[in-house]
Amino acid sequence: AGNQAVAAAWVGLEAADGATLLQVAETDAQGRFTFSHMRGGHYWLRVRAAGRSEGHLPIGVPGPAGGYDVQLA
C-alpha cells in the first residue's frame, strides 16, 4: 500500500495535447523509468499497471527535481 514502487508498469509520454503518444517505457524493479531525447516543454505522463487505476500527470521538462512521481490506486 502507500508509496510502493510498481515494477513492469507501462509508462507513456504524450504531447501536451494528450492525444499524441511520443515514447513508451516500462518501470524497473524500483518503479523507475527513463525517456531519452526529450525537448524542453510540456507533456503528459500516463501510467498503467495490472490491478491498479491508471495514473496521469502533466509535466514540464526540464523538471524542477529531475523526476516525477505518479501515484496509482
Side-chain angles (χ1 to χ4, degrees):
N3 293 325
Q4 292 180 335
V6 177
W10 178 93
V11 184
L13 178 70
E14 299 175 346
D17 64 12
T20 305
L21 183 63
L22 302 172
Q23 293 188 48
V24 173
E26 185 174 290
T27 59
D28 63 16
Q30 289 77 39
R32 297 181 181 198
F33 60 92
T34 302
F35 291 121
S36 59
H37 305 275
M38 293 179 62
R39 293 184 176 172
H42 298 282
Y43 300 91
W44 279 94
L45 282 180
R46 192 163 305 276
V47 183
R48 297 180 185 135
R52 297 179 182 253
S53 64
E54 181 177 285
H56 60 278
L57 179 73
I59 65 167
V61 173
Y68 293 92
D69 289 328
V70 179
Q71 300 294 318
L72 302 177

